[in-house]
Amino acid sequence: MGLFRRGPKRDPREAPRDGEFSFFSEREGGVFRSQVRQAFAERGLEVTVYAGMVADSGGRQFGLGNLAAVCHRDRRGERVWPAMIRDHVGKVLRTMDGPQPMETLSEDEIRARLFPRVVAEETLPPAESFRYGRAPAPGLREVLALDLPEAVQMLSADSLSDLGEVAELRIRALNNLRALPVEGHETVRRGDGSSFEVVLGDSFFTASRVLVLDDLVERIMGTPLTGDGALVAMPFRHQLAFHPIHDAQVVPALQAMAQFAAAGHEDAAGAISPNVFWWRRGAMTRLSEPDGDGLRVVVDLEFQDMLERLVQDEA
């Protein structure tokens, strides 16, 4: 999974846009939904297709947002959509119709597959089922999830009730997260001398490694973070960017990471946040946010004081 790659052939941006998924043209959206309907029909399931989901006769609903983004971003274009959609629908139905892992796995097996996952809070159901999770930053929520062979299942409070206390389960999940291999690591260097690191991989928990950032940074860089912490960005579930703060290069790094995060978040499957955060001892403060068609960097007094100190140290 590379950071920068040539995009797939798409309809021009001036073509009329799809009402639900603006990265699609109207034509592309129609093709996509038609193929989704066909994939369910091939599985013997008649569905009603809505703009952002499909529903079967039993009332089950299947969201289309992530699948649409995956199709949109695939560099091979529309020719591979049918196979991708059939594969996705097959996995979803096998997961929903098959034995439920919380009923078939032993407690030890469940704990071995347990991971914390950082998600955009807006993607969670409005019910209280996931309110047990802490909010690592505004707009984000940390929930517990099972890593299954064909799916990742986020666990509601009811699902966890028979396993033990959430705090104890979170400790086990964090230990599992620390033990994951680093699938990929790249350094992004800019012409102004600034740089930042990107961890990337197929794991759905790649971006969630921000929860164990101190361990991850020392593992990759060979040195621990200082008390000033790091800049971090989690555009989508398969990428985590960070810049350990050592000197005044944090200023151009912040600008570069803000652009990187916003671009990576747009149209991404498993999108998390377009923002950059200041990470210190596990706490995160937002430093950037979208502003119309551009970006706006917003720093608080504490971050400003740190910048002034770093600049003075180099004087």
Side-chain angles (χ1 to χ4, degrees):
M1 177 182 293
L3 289 179
F4 307 105
R5 58 189 183 183
R6 180 178 299 173
K9 183 177 180 181
R10 300 169 179 155
D11 287 348
R13 290 298 301 178
E14 56 268 22
R17 310 317 295 171
D18 183 82
E20 181 72 17
F21 306 122
S22 60
F23 46 77
F24 280 155
S25 67
E26 285 185 357
R27 184 197 65 81
E28 290 167 336
V31 170
F32 169 74
R33 293 182 182 88
S34 174
Q35 292 176 355
V36 168
R37 185 198 301 272
Q38 178 63 28
F40 276 98
E42 290 173 0
R43 294 272 175 172
L45 200 61
E46 187 69 27
V47 295
T48 301
V49 181
Y50 298 96
M53 68 169 190
V54 300
D56 66 11
S57 58
R60 296 185 301 179
Q61 297 180 353
F62 308 85
L64 298 179
N66 281 340
L67 178 58
V70 168
C71 288
H72 168 68
R73 292 173 69 91
D74 194 286
R75 70 177 72 184
R76 296 167 295 178
E78 290 180 36
R79 63 185 175 85
V80 300
W81 288 8
M84 293 173 64
I85 292 170
R86 283 196 297 269
D87 180 65
H88 177 84
V89 168
K91 289 179 179 179
V92 168
L93 292 178
R94 284 193 296 273
T95 300
M96 295 188 71
D97 295 339
Q100 294 304 300
M102 297 298 287
E103 299 173 358
T104 58
L105 295 177
S106 69
E107 185 171 319
D108 286 344
E109 289 173 322
I110 290 173
R111 288 171 179 263
R113 295 175 178 270
L114 197 62
F115 290 87
R117 185 175 178 189
V118 176
V119 298
E121 190 160 20
E122 64 186 16
T123 64
L124 293 172
E128 296 297 314
S129 303
F130 295 96
R131 298 303 175 194
Y132 68 85
R134 58 188 287 272
L140 303 180
R141 181 73 62 172
E142 175 195 332
V143 299
L144 295 177
L146 277 183
D147 189 18
L148 303 171
E150 289 194 323
V152 170
Q153 179 180 338
M154 292 192 294
L155 301 176
S156 66
D158 289 342
S159 300
L160 297 170
S161 59
D162 293 334
L163 288 178
E165 295 294 327
V166 170
E168 184 271 330
L169 295 172
R170 181 175 184 265
I171 292 173
R172 176 58 188 268
L174 287 170
N175 287 335
N176 291 342
L177 188 64
R178 289 187 182 94
L180 287 177
V182 176
E183 295 181 64
H185 164 235
E186 298 183 20
T187 301
V188 178
R189 302 188 187 279
R190 307 270 292 190
D192 56 12
S194 65
S195 65
F196 59 92
E197 313 299 321
V198 182
V199 176
L200 57 161
D202 292 330
S203 169
F204 276 42
F205 305 103
T206 301
S208 300
R209 299 178 82 146
V210 71
L211 300 173
V212 292
L213 186 72
D214 46 358
D215 177 84
L216 181 68
V217 170
E218 187 164 5
R219 183 174 172 182
I220 291 175
M221 309 300 291
T223 55
L225 290 170
T226 70
D228 289 329
L231 303 178
V232 296
M234 302 143 285
F236 63 108
R237 63 193 178 205
H238 299 297
Q239 284 187 355
L240 169 64
F242 66 87
H243 172 83
I245 299 175
H246 298 294
D247 52 35
Q249 283 296 315
V250 65
V251 177
L254 173 56
Q255 295 287 348
M257 287 180 63
Q259 296 172 2
F260 175 84
H265 178 268
E266 185 180 12
D267 307 340
I272 298 177
S273 175
N275 303 317
V276 178
F277 299 88
W278 181 21
W279 185 101
R280 283 182 305 163
R281 297 179 291 277
M284 290 193 287
T285 304
R286 187 171 64 186
L287 298 178
S288 74
E289 57 188 28
D291 183 21
D293 293 331
L295 298 168
R296 184 161 60 107
V297 173
V298 182
V299 300
D300 61 13
L301 183 60
E302 198 169 2
F303 190 83
Q304 184 65 40
D305 288 343
M306 181 196 69
L307 290 181
E308 292 176 0
R309 170 171 52 80
L310 292 174
V311 170
Q312 289 174 358
D313 288 345
E314 293 187 357

